[in-house]
Amino acid sequence: GSYTANVGIESVGSTGAPLSAAVAMTVNRPSNCNGLLNAADALALLQQVSGIGGCVADVPDMNCDGAVDSADAELVLQYLAGVGAGPPQC
């Protein structure tokens, strides 16, 4: 099926006014696994966490806590919006 998500992300660690970005995406299948880290991977991760399923092989453990979960999806979106660090070397 088709899955649509509207996600707002905000950088609270910036100086001055917070940076924020809204991300809207539609994925026509519950998996991505295209070898690239993009917004579809964040959506696939949220689908997997919620029990819908999804291929999350492209999503790194962005916060190095030993689990790939919704916190990592948020960090992926922050990175893609230019308000967060890239994939770490855990």
Side-chain angles (χ1 to χ4, degrees):
S2 289
Y3 302 92
T4 301
N6 293 303
V7 180
I9 57 174
E10 186 172 301
S11 172
V12 295
S14 62
T15 57
L19 300 172
S20 63
V23 179
M25 64 191 110
T26 300
V27 176
N28 292 321
R29 61 182 192 264
S31 63
N32 187 24
C33 287
N34 64 356
L36 304 172
L37 181 61
N38 54 37
D41 294 304
L43 179 57
L45 178 54
L46 293 173
Q47 290 171 334
Q48 184 183 60
V49 168
S50 65
I52 297 173
C55 180
V56 297
D58 298 333
V59 182
D61 182 7
M62 295 288 287
N63 59 3
C64 296
D65 69 352
V68 177
D69 53 24
S70 59
D72 298 300
E74 179 181 356
L75 293 172
V76 166
L77 292 172
Q78 288 177 357
Y79 163 66
L80 294 172
V83 296
Q89 299 296 321
C90 299

